[in-house]
Amino acid sequence: MPAESSEEGSEPDAIGRAITRTAERYARAGKSRSTYHYVRGKLRGDPSTLAVARLAPLGDVLDLGCGRGQLAVLLLESRAATTVRGCDWDDEKVSIANRAASGLSGEFAKGDVRTADAAAADTVLLIDVLHYFDRDTQDALLIRAAGFVKPGGRLVLRDADTGRGWRSMMTRIEEGFFTAIKFNRGERVLFRDVTRELVPLLETQGMSCSVVPCWGTTPFSNVLLLATRTTAA
């Protein structure tokens, strides 16, 4: 798990305030104050928070594999998104996400990202989801996710990249540990070469792609893949 930033003011003020408001929502939605500290620490310490928020305006967001929904709720609190819809197979996490989003333009539903149906969105998120499936399932999920993107919209994927030397090794160790202790409840851990394997697949779906680092000060090999729809699905 990424370490929480020790610099309270290291994030833009607006995002920092939105993180605090989001964490307070989860404090009210959760069963203990620990939920507040988890969400606050996760949003402040994970480089994907700022990376995704800075892509605003995101419009209507579809978050596949949303978990507790803290990133989606933050996007509403920071006004980076106008509406959000989330999908996750964990009923308990979906429930807390809906409680936390009370009063906002967000809704979360239980479902399997491999088969869930959804209306098209301006932005489709796949954050730290893909590597829990086998290769064929990953490819099918990517194609499915790309199909939800409106013309001119974006698929935003954050995942670990292979071929990043010691960073890739550290990521495998970390993910393997958290999967083994059932903190992450995926079926397996399978990372891919994002540029060589995932980008060409998305290009066949009419997407224009770019890949940028998304590891911040962490030792991991996470990257952000931005795929913009340039042709019809």
Side-chain angles (χ1 to χ4, degrees):
M1 301 292 291
E4 181 177 353
S5 171
S6 61
E7 295 291 335
E8 186 77 13
S10 63
E11 300 143 342
D13 289 344
I15 297 298
R17 291 192 295 269
I19 288 174
T20 298
R21 294 194 301 271
T22 300
E24 290 289 356
R25 283 181 168 275
Y26 279 84
R28 296 190 293 271
K31 297 179 180 179
S32 70
R33 191 66 176 176
S34 63
T35 307
Y36 165 86
H37 292 294
Y38 170 80
V39 169
R40 182 175 180 273
K42 176 67 173 175
L43 291 175
R44 287 191 178 276
D46 193 329
S48 69
T49 301
L50 277 177
V52 175
R54 284 172 172 166
L55 297 174
L58 298 172
D60 176 31
V61 173
L62 174 62
D63 189 356
L64 298 174
C66 62
R68 295 173 181 82
Q70 66 267 1
L71 178 58
V73 173
L74 170 72
L75 295 177
L76 290 173
E77 281 285 1
S78 64
R79 299 186 179 179
T82 53
T83 65
V84 297
R85 291 167 286 140
C87 171
D88 197 274
W89 72 279
D90 191 315
D91 194 37
E92 183 177 350
K93 290 180 179 179
V94 168
S95 294
I96 193 172
N98 278 312
R99 293 196 299 272
S102 177
L104 298 176
S105 299
E107 59 178 338
F108 303 86
K110 181 180 179 181
D112 190 326
V113 296
R114 295 169 291 188
T115 57
D117 199 8
D122 299 306
T123 304
V124 177
L125 301 180
L126 266 179
I127 307 297
D128 300 337
V129 172
L130 204 65
H131 59 261
Y132 293 122
F133 301 108
D134 61 54
R135 189 177 302 270
D136 290 342
T137 303
Q138 287 185 19
D139 289 350
L141 176 55
L142 266 183
I143 293 171
R144 187 175 186 82
F148 292 138
V149 180
K150 293 178 180 178
R154 290 174 292 190
L155 169 63
V156 181
L157 179 145
R158 201 282 286 271
D159 219 309
D161 196 7
T162 60
R164 301 276 177 170
W166 64 272
R167 287 186 177 278
S168 296
M169 180 182 69
M170 291 296 295
T171 306
R172 289 181 183 278
I173 293 172
E174 185 255 2
E175 285 289 351
F177 172 75
F178 282 110
T179 300
I181 65 172
K182 306 301 182 182
F183 184 86
N184 293 332
R185 296 163 65 184
E187 298 174 357
R188 62 188 55 76
V189 176
L190 175 63
F191 298 122
R192 308 281 292 278
D193 187 313
V194 173
T195 300
R196 294 183 179 181
E197 297 183 72
L198 305 188
V199 166
L201 178 60
L202 288 172
E203 288 176 341
T204 68
Q205 304 303 305
M207 313 292 278
S208 175
C209 302
S210 63
V211 179
V212 295
C214 190
W215 51 66
T217 59
T218 75
F220 307 120
S221 63
N222 294 315
V223 296
L224 206 66
L225 192 166
L226 307 175
T228 303
R229 175 157 301 289
T230 57
T231 63

